[in-house]
Structures are given as C-alpha cells and as structure tokens.
Amino acid sequence: MSASGGTKAIVAALGANLAIAVAKFVAFLFSGSSSMLAESVHSLADSGNQGLLLLGGKRAQRVATPQHPFGYGRERYIYAFLVSIVLFSVGGMFAVYEGYEKIRHPHELEAWYWPVGVLVFAIIAEGFSFRTAIKESNESRGSLSWTEFIRRAKAPELPVVLLEDFGALIGLVLALGGVGLALGTGNGVWDGIGTLCIGILLIAIAIVLAAETKSLLLGEAAGADQVEKIKDAVVDGDTVTGVIHMRTLHLGPEELLVAAKIAVQHDDTADEVANAINAAESRIRAAVPIARVIYLEPDIYNAAAAAAGTNPAKAPGGTHATPAPGAAGPGSEAADTPAGTEDTGPAESGH
C-alpha cells in the first residue's frame, strides 16, 4: 500500500466524519434520540482515530537515530493499535451504556425529522468515504479477498479505515432502524436497542483491529511470495549455492529486514564471497524493493550436515532451515556449532 493512497482514504474519512459528527449532535439536541448521541460520539471518535493515523504516518517518517537504528516505521502500527482502543472505549462502551440507559428509561422521540434527515445524510457521506477506501485498497490488494487483505496487509491505515467505514454504515442502518421502530411503535425502547446494537458492533470491530495490529506490533515476516523472490534472488548458482536459513521482519509497512545464512563453496576466496554477497544484495533489492536492511552471512556447504538436517529447537520460533533451489540442504554452521544444527541468527559481520 502506498503512503499516498492511505493518506487520501484517511483524509476523506476524516472530512466525512467531522461533518457527520456535528450533524448527529444537532439532531440529538433537537430529538433526544440516544441513537443519535451514540452515533455522534462514534463519528467524533472516528475523527480522532483518523487524526491518530495521520499523526502516526507523519512520525514514522523520522530518520533513524543511534537509539532507534532501524527507524520509526512501526509507529504506524502503534497508532493503529491506539485507534482500536479508542474505538472500543469511546465508541463501543459509550454506546452500550447509552443503549442500556435508554432501555431502562425510554422516552418518545421529539422532532423525529432531525434524526431521520441526519441519518440519511450520514449514510451518503459515509458511503462516499467507504467508496474512496475501497478504491484505494483495490490498488494494493490484488487477488486477495477482503478478509485476506485485512489480515495480511502490512500497512494498517487502509484496513482500519475500511473497518471503521463499514462499521459506521452498519451502525447508521441500525440507528435508522431503531429510530424508525421507535417512531412506528411509539416505544422509545427500540431506540435504546438500536444504540445497544451499535455499541456491540463497534466493540467487535475494535477487537478485530486490536488483534491484527497486535500481530504487526509483534513483528511479521514478509509474505510468502516475497520470501520466495528473495530466496531466488540470493542464489546465483556459482558462488552462492543455497540458503541455509533466512529470517525476514517488517520494520515498518514499507521497510523489510532480511537476514540469511548462505552456502558458499569451500574453495572460494574472501574476495569472491564478498563480491557474491554484494551482488546478492543488489538482486534482493531489485526483486523486493522494500528489502532495505540486509544481512548475509556466508558459510561452507557441508553435505553431511545437510543430510543430518536442522535442529528446529535452536532456531527462533522453531523454524526449520529452508534450502533454496540448487542446494541439497542446509550447510554446516560455524566451526563451534555442531554439524546439522542451526544457530539463532546471522552475525552482524555480514553485509
């Protein structure tokens, strides 16, 4: 996902939500509808959320420092996680409370045309925002389904806006239904039920957002297609004969760290190995442009160690070594590592 595409969707959602929040609050003042109050708080929370996403995107662009040598790309994940907290507390829990109180103490709606008119306006405005988010997302999701896109996207902004806008549209329909039933039956309890449903919906969306952004905060690897491209780019079939093991980690949505131990021939000179590593780095960056931080550690390929296999218990996360095409299996480790085992990662002496 491009940063510009995400920003466009966020700005569209921010403008729509600010206008809707004001309109909903005016409707609440004239009608006393708890659905309108819950929806106005929901839109205000959404506006704050879009502000958090914009702030996170801005702060993530800061240059790396000695204290943060890999930069600040993950700040976008932190602010997206804050969005889920705000949506849960300010939006969801407030709506549940308002709905509960309205069910306990129902009262008839006054000036019904205010909430109905505002809800229709809000549906149109949210529909415009949702359409913008869908259009921007289609440029990056490819053949993925919407569920897969939300779960696999490394940039959090578009999934957040998509879920917020989707929840807002469903919430508006629920609010319109609650107001309509309250007007049709003369029983204000329906308005409270609509408000309660809005709160439950917002809490569910907040939980989904929290789960997805938590995974990003913990650190996710590159996608399977990117991993295969990197493996293919590393091996040249001459000096670099295979990948003994490899780790990838997103330092941010658009920055990838690649660390790998690669197999080289026993008789290769230091100059040949160094040139091969430099060439491999260039091929990796050409194949996967977001691979900006690369550490490659050479090791001697050993057929006996390859036949013995790896020791997953000694690898982070218990991951097996993954030989690339052209290599019969993992090579031996450094001289002080038992044959057939795998250490915890490449040394920083690599390129």
Side-chain angles (χ1 to χ4, degrees), residues 240 262 271-285 296 351:
V240 182
I262 58 177
D271 185 63
E272 290 173 332
V273 171
N275 290 334
I277 289 176
N278 290 332
E281 290 177 350
S282 297
R283 293 194 299 271
I284 291 173
R285 291 190 174 97
L296 299 180
H351 288 246

Side-chain angles (χ1 to χ4, degrees), residues 105-123:
H105 309 290
H107 61 81
E108 293 186 7
L109 299 180
E110 301 174 1
W112 60 269
Y113 42 84
W114 274 101
V116 172
V118 166
L119 286 172
V120 172
F121 163 73
I123 289 174

Side-chain angles (χ1 to χ4, degrees), residues 61-72:
Q61 296 174 7
R62 290 179 294 168
V63 298
T65 65
Q67 291 76 24
H68 298 88
F70 293 114
Y72 294 85

Side-chain angles (χ1 to χ4, degrees), residues 1-2 133-150 152-153 158 162:
M1 186 192 77
S2 64
I134 289 175
K135 181 179 178 181
E136 297 298 322
S137 298
N138 280 333
E139 296 180 3
S140 58
R141 75 183 181 97
S143 60
L144 296 176
S145 67
W146 287 109
T147 301
E148 291 173 332
F149 173 70
I150 291 172
R152 298 183 186 181
L158 281 178
L162 280 169

Side-chain angles (χ1 to χ4, degrees), residues 147-166:
T147 301
E148 291 173 332
F149 173 70
I150 291 172
R151 295 196 61 181
R152 298 183 186 181
K154 306 304 181 185
E157 290 84 359
L158 281 178
V160 169
V161 173
L162 280 169
L163 286 175
E164 279 191 345
D165 285 350
F166 177 75

